[in-house]
Each structure stands twice: as structure tokens, then as C-alpha cells.
Amino acid sequence: MVTTSIDIARQMVSNYHLQADKESTHALADILVCKKYKKGEIILNEGEICTCMRYVEKGLLRQFYFKYGKDMTEHIAYEKGVVICLESYFRQEPARLIIEALEQSVVWEIDKAMIDQLAIEYVTIGLLYRKILEYSLIESQIKADTLRFEPAHERYNKLFQMHPEILKRAPLVYIASLLQMTPETLSRVRSASLSN
């Protein structure tokens, strides 16, 4: 069954526990652009401007950056997740993060200028936009606090509670990087949690 932009607009609205009338749902659907990416394909490169939010219909996307020549995973999103390079998106400046597809992925792009306009015209879309951005900011804050204050096993357990899909589907090297631990530490933590 082919998923249409209307299906995705409805799904997005219901994901954030909102009710939208037909007109605003169709207005949102009209600005959604479907893109398909192969595994390993770069979606946004460092130095490019993030001009849209990306809603994942199917697949797994990773945001990462390079630090001292090492590849550091910042965020992993899967079905019903949204990927935004926040600073680049808001300031319309070149991104420091890179977005790549970890699996064959179907992604719906939502252009910033277009959703900014719709958010003014339709109350529900304004609310949806705000909820998406709030959720992204809260996720970033939870991740920062977890990395700052919690030991390795707590970081792993929190990821397991909040996003078990990532642990099932993402390569271990990226999970370790996301949790800011070595692959060896991740292996030890996983073994300990499985034996509990």
C-alpha cells in the first residue's frame, strides 16, 4: 500500500495528540515532499544549510559530526521520528552535523519557509510545529543530562527504555558513540543488562 502525503500529515498530527480539520491537514500534506534514500546515502552534508525538517516514514537516520578525526553520533531517528539540525535550521547557517541513512529510508521533508507560513495561517499546524520543536529540544536536553550525570549502564538503560528500536537496528559502533562509550564498554554493559 502506497503512503500518501495526506496519510503522513494525519499521522504527524495524531503522533503529537492533536486534532486537525480537513483544511489544515490538506495544507500540511501539500508541503510534504517524499524522498527515498539508500543505505549509507548522505542526506545533508556538513556546511550545507538545513532548510527543512525530516519526518521518517520508514528507515533509520543518523546525525553525526567529526571531532579530532573521529565520527561522533549525535542522534538516531527511526519511524515517526523527526530529524532537524536545530542551529542550522533556525539560523539558516551552514550545518556542523551530517545526516545519513543507516537503512534504506523513506523521508518526508517539510520546508522551513513553508511551515513557518502555514503555522501563521492554521492554529493546529502552529501547535504541531511547536510540539515537534519542543520534543526535539527536550530530547536534546535529556541526552545532554544523561551524558553529563549518568554512568554507562544508566545511559544504556535509558536508551533501552526510550528507544529500543535503536538498540535493535543501529550498528553497535554508532550506539556506543551515541552513548559516548567505547564499543568494549557497550559490550560489557549489554552483557550485564542481559544477565539481570
Side-chain angles (χ1 to χ4, degrees), residues 12-179:
M12 288 180 74
V13 168
S14 81
N15 286 351
Y16 291 92
H17 313 293
L18 295 169
Q19 303 253 305
D21 60 24
K22 195 172 177 181
E23 191 185 345
S24 55
T25 303
H26 280 259
L28 178 59
D30 286 346
I31 67 165
L32 296 174
V33 177
C34 186
K35 297 277 179 84
K36 294 181 178 174
Y37 296 100
K38 296 187 188 80
K39 181 179 178 177
E41 193 172 344
I42 298 295
I43 296 168
L44 182 80
N45 228 321
E46 183 179 7
E48 293 177 350
I49 293 172
C50 180
T51 58
C52 64
M53 297 189 286
R54 292 171 171 89
Y55 179 82
V56 184
E57 178 191 339
K58 183 178 181 301
L60 201 62
L61 303 188
R62 173 174 86 113
Q63 284 175 292
F64 69 100
Y65 58 95
F66 289 100
K67 186 175 179 180
Y68 309 124
K70 276 181 73 175
D71 165 327
M72 309 291 286
T73 300
E74 174 75 20
H75 178 65
I76 296 174
Y78 51 92
E79 289 78 13
K80 299 183 181 178
V82 174
V83 177
I84 321 168
C85 297
L86 283 170
E87 187 180 7
S88 174
Y89 181 81
F90 285 125
R91 294 185 166 170
Q92 289 297 283
E93 291 175 356
R96 293 192 220 178
L97 297 172
I98 301 160
I99 304 173
E100 78 166 322
L102 292 182
E103 296 174 353
Q104 197 165 330
S105 299
V106 179
V107 177
W108 293 81
E109 295 185 349
I110 307 159
D111 179 82
K112 182 182 188 302
M114 289 181 177
I115 196 161
D116 283 347
Q117 186 56 46
L118 286 189
I120 294 165
E121 291 174 33
Y122 299 95
V123 172
T124 308
I125 293 177
L127 277 172
L128 173 67
Y129 194 22
R130 195 177 87 204
K131 281 182 173 278
I132 290 169
L133 296 174
E134 277 175 4
Y135 185 79
S136 293
L137 290 166
I138 289 166
E139 280 267 295
S140 296
Q141 186 67 55
I142 289 169
K143 181 176 185 288
D145 289 348
T146 302
L147 294 175
R148 268 197 292 266
F149 303 120
E150 295 179 9
H153 70 279
E154 289 291 336
R155 281 181 257 158
Y156 178 84
N157 289 340
K158 189 163 270 180
L159 185 64
F160 181 76
Q161 287 163 2
M162 293 175 72
H163 300 291
E165 280 300 305
I166 292 173
L167 295 174
K168 284 186 210 150
R169 291 160 58 185
L172 286 181
V173 64
Y174 298 148
I175 296 169
S177 174
L178 180 68
L179 295 170

Side-chain angles (χ1 to χ4, degrees), residues 177-191:
S177 174
L178 180 68
L179 295 170
Q180 290 190 6
M181 54 179 82
T182 64
E184 296 73 31
T185 302
L186 176 60
S187 277
R188 270 199 312 278
V189 168
R190 277 173 74 115
S191 299

